Amino acid sequence: MNVLVTGAKGFVGRNLVENLKAIRDGKNRTRPALSIGEIFEYDLDTDPALLNELCKAADFVCNLAGVNRPTDPADFQKGNFGFASTLLETLKKNGNRCPVMLSSSLQATLAGRFGTSEYGLSKKAGEELFFAYSAETGAPVYVYRFPNLAGKWVRPNYNSAVATFCNNVANDLPITVNDPAVELELLFIDDLLEELFDAMEGHPHRAEYPKTGETVDGAVYDGLTPHPCADGKYCYAPVTHKATLGYIVDCLHTFRDQPQTLLMPRIAPGSFEKKLYSMYLSYLPKEKVAFDLKMNCDDRGSFTELLKTADHGQFSVNVSKPGITKGQHWHNSKWEFFIVVSGKALIRERKLGTDEVIEFAVSGDRVQAVHMLPGYTHSIVNLSETEPLVTLMWANEQFDPNHPDTFFEEV
């Protein structure tokens, strides 16, 4: 399949092109049904004379080209309707009835505050052009009304408040939130791409947009929410997230503070927080990509906390000098993993009130995780006379100096 991407240098275009390359080159094997051949990138700086040849060779067209912040409102129609007309006429001239995807916007619903939007009107006109083209030629058209888009490479200080917030928080610049209660619906780029790949495989998610106040299947619609249906006129990406501006900013401040707190917030698979964190990181300046950790050093070596979580404990790294024994303590309910990643060591554990000692010879040559059992005093000794011992440690709870649950006793 040869794919023509218009607006290839924009936010969605860049992400789409790079991910199509990954599928084409066998780096992304999650889409075995997709066989990508040529990827035609078309943008403002492309010679318009090439469009004819690209439209002749394309097997699927993603029309991502558009204008959303022109200096002259008349350019909305020129950018969002004019080029679409040229694209479809060129496909028609070449007799190419391949599927064509249109990147439209929720503003095209003209619902609520979008009723007089010049941008929305231009997008609506573009939609009708595509539907008319499909009716005339029989070519499949996939018209998507995207909500606010988010993810890596969104341009800040342009048309995305979330991108601006990410950029400014990452770079210690001020942000302004007039109403923290305002809720945004966000479509992250990875979820958008998965939907586009579904479309390329021939099974996009279909929907209609019931009018404001209309009741469908017992639900009252607001004019902006897609109603999934197999024969829907429109297409939609099924995975989106809603969050208030206040919550978004709170999350970003938590992400910003992580190098100091070492606290990693909950980032469940597929969660809004996980996707927002990834987006935030893409705006970090070079000087923040690496950060120092506090090493607690003494004549035995060092101990450094790496990462803390809200409900899954913390990670640390322990370095022991040659011949040094560390530990010699026990816990009531705290438990740990010791994982030697470099060097050779002997781990010893003794159940309180008994003389029986269990021992584990461990080495970075064969990485193992050893439980430090509650109610067992335990120690770890570096068996080398010349090399340091490096041990990754995980505890099931963050260290609390007011309740350390750690008591000295030799094994």
Side-chain angles (χ1 to χ4, degrees), residues 334-352:
K334 182 187 297 185
W335 58 280
E336 302 161 303
F337 281 131
F338 284 8
I339 305 168
V340 170
V341 295
S342 179
K344 298 181 185 300
L346 180 67
I347 295 173
R348 307 177 75 230
E349 302 186 53
R350 175 176 62 82
K351 187 176 182 179
L352 296 179

Side-chain angles (χ1 to χ4, degrees), residues 4 40 50-59 90-91 94 96:
L4 168 58
F40 305 130
L50 294 175
L51 187 60
N52 186 69
E53 290 302 314
L54 300 183
C55 284
K56 183 186 300 183
D59 300 306
T90 307
L91 287 168
N94 284 283
N96 189 343

Side-chain angles (χ1 to χ4, degrees), residues 73-91:
D75 288 338
F76 275 130
Q77 288 292 342
K78 180 179 179 181
N80 296 328
F81 179 85
F83 175 75
S85 179
T86 300
L87 173 68
L88 297 180
E89 286 298 324
T90 307
L91 287 168

